[in-house]
Amino acid sequence: MKICTIIGARPQFIKAAVVSRIIQETDGVEEILIHTGQHFDANMSDVFFEELNIRKPDHQLKIGGGTHGQNTGRMIEAIENVLIAEKPDWVLVYGDTDSTLAGALAAVKLHIPIAHVESGLRSYNRRMPEEINRVLTDHAANLLFAPTNTAVGNLKNEGIDSDKVHQVGDVMYDATLYYRESAKRPSSIEEIDDKFILCTIHRAENTDDLTRLTRILDGLNVIAEEHIIILPLHPRTAGVIKRMPSLKLKDNIKIINPVGFLEMHWLLQHCSVVMTDSGGVQKEAFFHRKPCVTLRDETEWVELVDAGVNILAAPGSADIVLALKSMMGLEIDKKLNLYGDGQTGKRLLDIIMVEK
Ligand code: UDP
């Protein structure tokens, strides 16, 4: 069997690393890897291939830097060419980026079956590019790998045939279990004690809205009067901040370049609280039993909020300083299990192979 995996963005490298390793260990299945080029910086792409031992992509499309429409359109055309040449039995896509949607659209029109990992996630906010990408991909897919009960319910509510839907757990939990022993301290931070707050900000709804971004940064400045904040800064956010000349950030806010996965997990292991608008980082905070403040109006990972380990603090309507205080020091039950058993990658590959 030939599986063509399509990836392009940071969280997809991490998810695909789990499944690609299992594919390599499994007889009777060959993987063709397409990297669309959506993320291309060394610290947003290469470092993950090196650290997570992902093999060199068979096809590098080098498509990035444009608008959503430009990128998606160019990706569809380039992916279609590869699929016609490679003739895979399955196309495997992850998550909710433009690369996910482009892969799904190219495959569905060639009648190549699609498996979607991290299916059924919904924010019910159609202004998010990710929401459009995931809804359309789910409706084109033949196998939908949902991480949670909620995701399964969301797909059911949209009338998707339940035979196609498999609740398999979350591959990011597999990744955390597999790599956590290899976590390493980032070289970019000097000696620091374990009371720091780890923060990431990159969602378009925060970075493209200067009022929201200013409110987040104002909140961080207040928090930085008492705490050290480590902020590995996504290139999109860094670009916007550069254009805010009047912005003054307190010395306690330590801005560093985006870190690799192993350094990120060291930061997650050693921080006291996580503040983020990332989907993946919300879950990883929980995997490391760290409370999380989510800097968004809503989250797809509602079970974290229901379990009381994550609180939504929408910049502007909620006070992120109060939200942080309410989560500081929270002890999280070590037995709480929301995302499977760490065997998701194997489980989903077994299902694809049986479907053949
Ligand atoms: N991540 C990383 N280095 C960083 C920031 C994040 O390795 O500097 C990892 C993080 O641990 C998680 C993934 O990137 O596994 C999340 O990606 P991102 O926040 O870009 O996307 P999202 O999960 O929101 O789609």
Side-chain angles (χ1 to χ4, degrees):
M1 175 191 285
K2 196 187 226 186
I3 296 177
C4 183
T5 297
I6 299 168
I7 51 179
R10 175 168 69 185
Q12 294 168 330
F13 307 140
I14 295 158
K15 292 163 200 168
V18 170
V19 181
S20 295
R21 178 173 41 81
I22 297 167
I23 291 176
Q24 283 178 57
E25 292 163 4
T26 306
D27 289 336
V29 51
E30 175 198 1
E31 183 179 44
I32 301 296
L33 200 55
I34 302 181
H35 185 333
T36 63
Q38 188 179 334
H39 283 168
F40 47 82
D41 295 350
N43 54 19
M44 294 294 288
S45 176
D46 300 354
V47 64
F48 296 94
F49 283 79
E50 284 153 24
E51 281 189 341
L52 310 184
N53 255 327
I54 309 171
R55 59 187 189 79
K56 204 168 162 297
D58 302 284
H59 302 273
Q60 299 260 19
L61 306 184
K62 298 195 165 64
I63 298 169
T67 63
H68 286 292
Q70 286 166 344
N71 285 347
T72 311
R74 290 170 60 209
M75 284 178 197
I76 293 172
E77 189 177 356
I79 293 169
E80 183 179 62
N81 288 336
V82 176
L83 296 181
I84 289 170
E86 293 282 2
K87 297 187 181 44
D89 300 295
W90 281 90
V91 161
L92 182 57
V93 292
Y94 292 86
D96 54 21
T97 72
D98 291 343
S99 304
T100 317
L101 178 62
L105 289 178
V108 74
K109 297 201 177 211
L110 293 171
H111 308 143
I112 302 170
I114 301 159
H116 183 207
V117 179
E118 214 175 70
S119 176
L121 273 291
R122 296 292 181 267
S123 64
Y124 295 102
N125 173 0
R126 290 274 172 130
R127 290 181 55 80
M128 288 177 74
E130 296 91 340
E131 182 78 352
I132 305 299
N133 292 340
R134 45 172 102 97
V135 170
L136 297 181
T137 301
D138 280 338
H139 283 261
N142 304 72
L143 273 179
L144 295 91
F145 294 120
T148 60
N149 275 330
T150 307
V152 171
N154 291 340
L155 294 169
K156 191 171 172 212
N157 292 342
E158 290 174 20
I160 289 180
D161 180 355
S162 63
D163 289 348
K164 297 181 182 175
V165 178
H166 299 264
Q167 186 181 342
V168 289
D170 193 319
V171 274
M172 290 195 75
Y173 186 44
D174 296 26
T176 297
L177 294 182
Y178 191 81
Y179 294 105
R180 68 178 168 190
E181 301 298 327
S182 316
K184 58 178 190 202
R185 173 192 227 294
S187 50
S188 50
I189 55 167
E190 66 242 20
E191 207 55 48
I192 202 154
D193 79 21
D194 282 8
K195 298 281 184 301
F196 66 85
I197 293 166
L198 175 61
C199 181
T200 74
I201 309 163
H202 79 288
R203 284 254 99 71
E205 71 210 46
N206 286 333
T207 60
D208 294 1
D209 179 336
L210 275 194
T211 310
R212 278 177 78 100
L213 187 59
T214 305
R215 283 180 175 148
I216 293 175
L217 297 172
D218 285 348
L220 295 186
N221 262 339
V222 174
I223 292 165
E225 283 166 14
E226 287 178 31
H227 302 278
I228 290 179
I229 300 173
I230 295 186
L231 180 56
L233 206 55
H234 191 282
R236 181 198 290 150
T237 322
V240 180
I241 286 184
K242 248 193 216 151
R243 298 194 300 274
M244 298 168 78
S246 58
L247 177 71
K248 295 264 174 304
L249 290 177
K250 291 245 154 57
D251 287 349
N252 265 352
I253 301 179
K254 313 280 181 207
I255 293 186
I256 57 175
N257 284 326
V259 292
F261 189 69
L262 303 181
E263 294 183 334
M264 187 65 182
H265 277 257
W266 187 93
L267 292 170
L268 284 156
Q269 283 166 5
H270 289 83
C271 70
S272 55
V273 182
V274 174
M275 300 182 78
T276 189
D277 59 9
S278 158
V281 177
Q282 288 176 60
K283 284 177 294 167
E284 289 169 337
F286 169 68
F287 298 151
H288 292 286
R289 297 299 187 258
K290 299 299 162 84
C292 182
V293 176
T294 295
L295 302 164
R296 289 183 49 197
D297 300 295
E298 69 280 305
T299 179
E300 297 76 16
W301 304 102
V302 288
E303 51 289 323
L304 294 170
V305 177
D306 293 344
V309 301
N310 186 341
I311 187 169
L312 290 175
S317 60
D319 187 332
I320 67 172
V321 182
L322 286 179
L324 175 81
K325 282 190 177 147
S326 73
M327 297 309 270
M328 200 58 126
L330 181 82
E331 291 285 330
I332 299 177
D333 183 355
K334 293 219 162 32
K335 294 202 205 80
L336 186 60
N337 180 353
L338 300 173
Y339 296 107
D341 57 2
Q343 297 295 318
T344 295
K346 177 164 183 351
R347 193 169 297 120
L348 71 86
L349 183 62
D350 286 349
I351 295 169
I352 296 176
M353 292 190 72
V354 168
E355 280 289 317
K356 187 186 179 235

